[in-house]
Amino acid sequence: MAKVLVVTSGKGGVGKTTSTAALGAALAQMGQRVVVIDFDVGLRNLDLVLGAERRVVFDLINVVQGVAKLQQALIRDKRLENLWLLPASQTRDKDALTDEGISRVIAELRTKFDWILCDSPAGIERGAMLAMRYADEAVIVTNPEVSSVRDSDRIIGMLDSKTVKAERGEFVAKHILITRYDAGRASRGEMLGIEDILEILATPLLGIIPESQDVLRASNVGSPVTLHNADSPPARAYIDAVNRLLGETIAMTVPTERKSFMSRLLGRRAA
Amino acid sequence: MNLLRLINGRKATAPVARERLQILLAHERGLRGQPDLLELLRAEILAAVQRHVDIDQDKIVIRMERGPQVSTLEVDIEVPNGAHKSLAAVG
Ligand SMILES: Nc1ncnc2c1ncn2[C@@H]1O[C@H](COP(=O)(O)OP(=O)(O)O)[C@@H](O)[C@H]1O
Ligand SMILES: [Mg+2]
């Protein structure tokens, strides 16, 4: 059965779009049929991170308003045949997204895909609300930093009250994904520890994504990090997270750089 | 810098980012002034087709790719045999 998963956070710039692309690509690489939806009306970005920005014809609002059919707006990834994108509108106004319209789009996507990943805009307003409205599961992207943890707590509250599942008395399955984690700073006590975050939020951990240059490189070339460099620490962390989403039990570690032969040969200077 | 790149076996990615942004922003800025040519062509081609045949939206596949020098517009329409509107009107 199809699963609707919202990638949300409250705070902006924590790694929602990066994570949506990486999780979506990793799921597709494992053979799941995946669509990623950009809910960030007016500030679309998921198309850029996926390298599909030059191929956008129609967007989510066109589909909601009936200007285009769903099939016409979906963009298939050029590298992963199981991965599709439904882009956000860049120009039209936010109120064009209606609860009823989103409900129709999600219902139709459920018949075609195994996973529907909703990339939420920042904030706790309408856009963020609509992105989580029909979710079965939620990935709450959190940075080890006080304001991010506080916003995550508010989002958890919304997931437990404003979603269709919550209104029916059911639960949205929630997972914390810690991103931009810097092991060095954490060990020096400059960053909130994982334990602290989990204790405060009382929500299970899906994975820990290290801060890494590989994320920037991947987004420069328009490729999800799991596809651009599957062996890099953030990619391995995202792949572990996806396996956990699929129900596997995997020991929680923070992947680190595997030293290449050359850099080992040249010692620390080249690393 | 180049030596480091050689050692790491990586190409610089920033130039790719720069080119992608230039292409994208050229199109998006154009959009604010006047309608994008590709969009205009798409709308007019579909209007022309609709004048002659009733076509189910599902049977129309449109793909675009914006490039630095040229862009492509691909309109793939499944036209049912005997769907000609004017034939029906005349006969
Ligand atoms: N693990 C990471 N390491 C380094 N940079 C990251 C990481 N995750 C995200 N980023 C960077 O942080 C910025 C914000 O990420 P983004 O995914 O757009 O956040 P959001 O969608 O939550 O606003 C981007 O520049 C992105 O490249
Ligand atoms: Mg984003």
Side-chain angles (χ1 to χ4, degrees):
Chain A
M1 221 182 64
K3 276 207 176 137
V4 179
L5 182 144
V6 62
V7 179
T8 183
S9 71
K11 193 167 158 57
V14 293
K16 289 179 294 298
T17 300
T18 303
S19 299
T20 305
L23 296 172
L27 280 165
Q29 284 167 289
M30 291 174 196
Q32 304 277 315
R33 291 173 50 80
V34 183
V35 60
V36 291
I37 312 178
D38 191 344
F39 273 84
D40 210 341
V41 173
L43 288 172
R44 81 170 165 227
N45 260 330
L46 191 52
D47 57 334
L48 264 174
V49 175
L50 288 170
E53 75 281 357
R54 301 183 205 174
R55 296 195 288 137
V56 174
V57 184
F58 297 113
D59 56 53
L60 178 59
I61 289 182
N62 294 145
V63 177
V64 164
Q65 294 184 329
V67 174
K69 291 277 182 167
L70 185 58
Q71 297 92 301
Q72 295 179 318
L74 288 171
I75 302 172
R76 188 179 214 153
D77 189 87
K78 283 195 165 171
R79 302 144 298 203
L80 294 170
E81 61 168 13
N82 277 344
L83 180 63
W84 299 74
L85 164 70
L86 185 52
S89 164
Q90 185 67 319
T91 49
R92 270 151 285 218
D93 83 295
K94 293 179 201 234
D95 295 334
L97 281 189
T98 59
D99 188 347
E100 189 276 329
I102 298 296
S103 148
R104 256 189 300 118
V105 171
I106 300 265
E108 196 176 345
L109 289 171
R110 278 184 189 272
T111 66
K112 298 178 186 342
F113 292 94
D114 300 317
W115 288 89
I116 299 154
L117 270 53
C118 305
D119 180 17
S120 176
I124 52 169
E125 308 301 319
R126 208 180 132 73
M129 207 110 92
L130 284 173
M132 70 168 61
R133 183 84 187 131
Y134 296 92
D136 303 308
E137 300 200 22
V139 167
I140 302 139
V141 179
T142 307
N143 291 167
E145 186 244 317
V146 287
S147 59
S148 173
V149 175
R150 177 211 214 168
D151 288 0
S152 294
D153 192 60
R154 292 202 63 183
I155 286 290
I156 289 171
M158 281 171 68
L159 287 163
D160 289 339
S161 60
K162 310 272 191 203
T163 55
V164 169
K165 279 221 143 171
E167 286 170 7
R168 286 195 195 129
E170 297 166 27
F171 286 101
V172 173
K174 301 182 293 283
H175 316 269
I176 300 289
L177 185 67
I178 295 178
T179 60
R180 314 206 64 169
Y181 182 75
D182 185 329
R185 290 182 55 200
S187 72
R188 290 193 297 275
E190 295 165 11
M191 221 181 214
L192 276 174
I194 308 282
E195 298 299 321
D196 303 331
I197 297 171
L198 297 181
E199 192 192 316
I200 293 166
L201 297 177
T203 303
L205 181 63
L206 183 67
I208 306 163
I209 315 296
E211 172 79 17
S212 165
Q213 287 297 310
D214 287 291
V215 170
L216 188 63
R217 287 194 197 101
S219 92
N220 275 345
V221 300
S223 176
V225 70
T226 50
L227 194 60
H228 184 249
N229 184 358
D231 204 37
S232 64
R236 283 186 283 137
Y238 277 119
I239 291 166
D240 280 356
V242 159
N243 279 315
R244 291 185 194 107
L245 271 183
L246 293 172
E248 279 185 47
T249 312
I250 294 168
M252 193 64 70
T253 56
V254 186
T256 51
E257 202 69 56
R258 282 176 185 150
K259 292 273 181 283
S260 74
F261 175 70
M262 278 300 273
S263 58
R264 242 180 299 164
L265 203 70
L266 291 165
R268 292 181 55 212
R269 247 172 309 162
Chain B
M1 195 60 197
N2 281 333
L3 181 67
L4 260 182
R5 246 175 240 156
L6 197 72
I7 291 164
N8 291 324
R10 293 196 190 104
K11 284 200 304 272
T13 54
V16 183
R18 187 184 123 99
E19 195 200 305
R20 292 174 61 217
L21 277 173
Q22 279 173 334
I23 296 167
L24 180 68
L25 296 185
H27 285 284
E28 287 192 344
R29 285 180 186 146
L31 226 67
R32 278 175 230 153
Q34 48 178 283
D36 178 43
L37 178 60
L38 230 54
E39 292 285 346
L40 196 69
L41 289 174
R42 173 179 62 76
E44 290 194 6
I45 290 169
L46 292 188
V49 172
Q50 298 287 4
R51 266 203 304 281
H52 295 283
V53 276
D54 274 323
I55 288 187
D56 189 347
Q57 277 273 318
D58 289 335
K59 305 295 181 201
I60 306 175
V61 179
I62 302 158
R63 287 192 206 88
M64 292 204 256
E65 173 123 29
R66 301 167 196 282
Q69 262 77 49
V70 291
S71 296
T72 58
L73 170 64
E74 212 180 297
V75 183
D76 190 331
I77 305 170
E78 209 175 283
V79 184
N81 294 332
H84 203 298
K85 271 189 189 172
S86 58
L87 274 184
V90 173

